[in-house]
């Protein structure tokens, strides 16, 4: 379960960012997880709960924003969802797309301080 190592990295980075900002306690960490990132949001949430124990984020919750995978077809300027399993053929002109616009994200987008 690689989500545990990802959750640990999120906790460490969120703690660093919070301390740099002068925040003592964190109540929530928001992350964006792309559909094609290889991360299972429910597994990440569970791993976060396990990994946060005994850390400065012990009371924090994880907020996961799921990002759908979308591709772009240059010949017809169409942006379309690729789904799971991914299908990169343009539904408008029936050509393969070579540009993935979203879906690989795995990033911290917010840290909420506890008051």
């Amino acid at each position: 379960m690689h989500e545990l190592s990802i959750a640990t990295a999120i906790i460490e980075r969120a703690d660093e960012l919070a301390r740099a900002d002068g925040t003592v306690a964190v109540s929530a960490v928001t992350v964006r997880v792309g559909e094609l990132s290889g991360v299972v949001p429910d597994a990440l949430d569970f791993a976060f709960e396990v990994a946060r124990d005994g850390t400065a984020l012990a009371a924090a919750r994880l907020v996961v924003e799921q990002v759908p995978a979308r591709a772009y077809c240059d010949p017809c300027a169409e942006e379309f969802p690729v789904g799971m399993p991914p299908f990169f053929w343009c539904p408008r002109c029936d050509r393969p797309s070579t540009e993935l616009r979203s879906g690989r994200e795995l990033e911290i987008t917010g840290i909420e301080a506890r008051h």
Side-chain angles (χ1 to χ4, degrees):
M1 174 164 149
H2 72 287
E3 281 83 356
L4 185 56
S5 61
I6 293 168
T8 301
I10 289 170
I11 289 165
E12 289 171 358
R13 183 66 179 140
D15 186 44
E16 289 172 12
L17 293 170
R19 287 177 193 267
D21 196 35
T23 300
V24 177
V26 174
S27 62
V29 179
T30 302
V31 295
R32 289 172 38 97
V33 177
E35 185 176 24
L36 301 178
S37 68
V39 176
V40 178
D42 288 341
L44 180 61
D45 189 48
F46 176 76
F48 185 86
E49 287 184 20
V50 170
R52 72 183 180 184
D53 285 345
T55 73
L57 280 81
R61 62 187 168 81
L62 182 67
V63 178
V64 177
E65 296 175 351
Q66 296 184 22
V67 180
R70 297 190 62 79
Y72 179 75
C73 177
D74 196 44
C76 70
E78 179 80 9
E79 186 173 293
F80 59 93
V82 298
M84 280 304 283
F87 188 70
F88 292 93
W89 287 87
C90 178
R92 178 188 253 174
C93 69
D94 200 32
R95 294 183 193 160
S97 170
T98 58
E99 184 181 340
L100 186 63
R101 291 243 166 128
S102 66
R104 290 190 203 154
E105 296 83 356
L106 181 54
E107 59 190 356
I108 296 172
T109 58
I111 298 171
E112 186 177 308
R114 186 174 51 192
H115 303 287

